[in-house]
Amino acid sequence: MPEGDTVRRIADGLQLLVGERLVAESPHPRGASTGIAALVDGRVLESVEARGKSLLLRFEGSVTVRSHLRLSGRWRIEPRGAARSGRPWLILRGAEWEAVQWNGPVLTLGEAPAARLGPDLLADDADLDAIARRVRMAADGRPVGEVLVDQHVVAGVGNMWLAELLWQARLSPWLPVSAIDDVELLRGLAWARQAMRVAVNGSRPLRAVYRRAGRPCPRCSAPVRSGGLGDANRTAYWCERCQPG
């Protein structure tokens, strides 16, 4: 699933179309059924914003399109008229460039779902101390690995960044938030914010534990483990020796 840094990179690419009056079409029937292409066709794209894993495209006339990629969706920025096979959900065509959205799965109108998100870890004004306090207040007995991927608590962290930030901070995904001190929690959040910001402009760091179950931990050589976490049964990755608890 694309995480906050991927969505921020898409938003940066879409800035090419901001200020243009766009031609919109939906070749795929599921995209067409949303009615979004018909609504935004001929409107000026006024701004594009990434908020956590949501992408918000604001058009003239107070029309906002929200895109969430979940597991299958993707955006491509291509020269106008580029050859392609298949049927995208949405094409936004400018004078020289066009944005192409494939595989949905979420294209909706309005910002209400994004307004309910927690603070974006990648936001320029992100306050890590405030985010750490929010994590503690929202924990309600849940383990830290479950709280940090709750997008209503902090937006943008998915399974990959969760695994890596907890490894960096030497915290088990199953530790109760109440068992973690402020220094440990802030260390993980600060590392994730910095690494995600670097990833927006370049590439992600080499993975220490994510999708490396059974392979040696790069810090202590113990085998990396994996297991289902929380009600959503997300797959967590961790080193039992480096991340006790």
Side-chain angles (χ1 to χ4, degrees):
M1 177 183 291
E3 301 189 21
D5 57 313
T6 300
V7 178
R8 177 63 64 91
R9 198 158 51 244
I10 294 168
D12 288 349
L14 284 168
Q15 301 305 317
L16 285 169
L17 296 176
V18 170
E20 291 199 52
R21 192 171 299 278
L22 303 180
V23 175
E25 61 176 300
S26 287
H28 196 287
R30 291 184 65 186
S33 69
T34 67
I36 285 174
L39 182 62
V40 304
D41 183 45
R43 293 181 188 262
V44 173
L45 178 62
E46 295 181 334
S47 69
V48 180
E49 177 190 357
R51 192 177 300 171
K53 299 179 186 180
S54 290
L55 186 69
L56 303 174
L57 297 90
R58 299 187 181 94
F59 292 83
E60 67 176 336
S62 300
V63 174
T64 299
V65 175
R66 172 178 170 261
S67 166
H68 194 297
L69 300 176
R70 292 189 177 170
L71 291 173
S72 60
R74 67 186 190 274
W75 281 88
R76 296 273 179 85
I77 313 300
E78 302 173 343
R80 179 174 174 134
R84 66 178 66 90
S85 59
R87 293 185 291 179
W89 276 46
L90 180 65
I91 301 174
L92 299 174
R93 185 170 292 118
E96 296 183 17
W97 298 92
E98 54 193 35
V100 186
Q101 205 284 318
W102 296 88
N103 301 333
V106 177
L107 279 174
T108 59
L109 294 172
E111 300 190 30
R116 294 192 289 269
L117 295 174
D120 188 339
L121 197 58
L122 275 172
D124 292 338
D125 59 353
D127 183 335
L128 296 185
D129 290 307
I131 291 174
R133 289 194 297 271
R134 188 179 178 93
V135 168
R136 292 197 181 282
M137 292 175 62
D140 195 25
R142 292 181 294 171
V144 65
E146 191 173 354
V147 178
L148 288 176
V149 291
D150 183 341
Q151 300 301 297
H152 296 98
V153 178
V154 55
V157 176
N159 286 8
M160 193 281 290
W161 287 115
L162 173 73
E164 298 302 308
L165 84 83
L166 291 178
W167 183 83
Q168 292 287 337
R170 297 177 180 257
L171 298 173
S172 167
W174 279 273
L175 273 176
V177 174
S178 59
I180 301 170
D181 66 36
D182 288 341
V183 172
E184 293 171 317
L185 183 55
L186 284 168
R187 181 167 62 232
L189 290 171
W191 178 86
R193 174 174 163 78
Q194 176 60 25
M196 290 172 75
R197 288 173 73 90
V198 170
V200 169
N201 297 310
S203 58
R204 288 175 170 177
L206 293 176
R207 298 168 180 172
V209 290
Y210 181 67
R211 289 187 176 175
R212 291 176 56 87
R215 300 174 70 178
C217 166
R219 188 160 51 208
C220 74
S221 298
V224 172
R225 296 194 58 190
S226 65
L229 175 67
D231 292 340
N233 199 34
R234 293 171 177 268
T235 302
Y237 298 86
W238 80 104
C239 171
E240 204 165 43
R241 185 183 297 167
C242 286
Q243 301 165 258

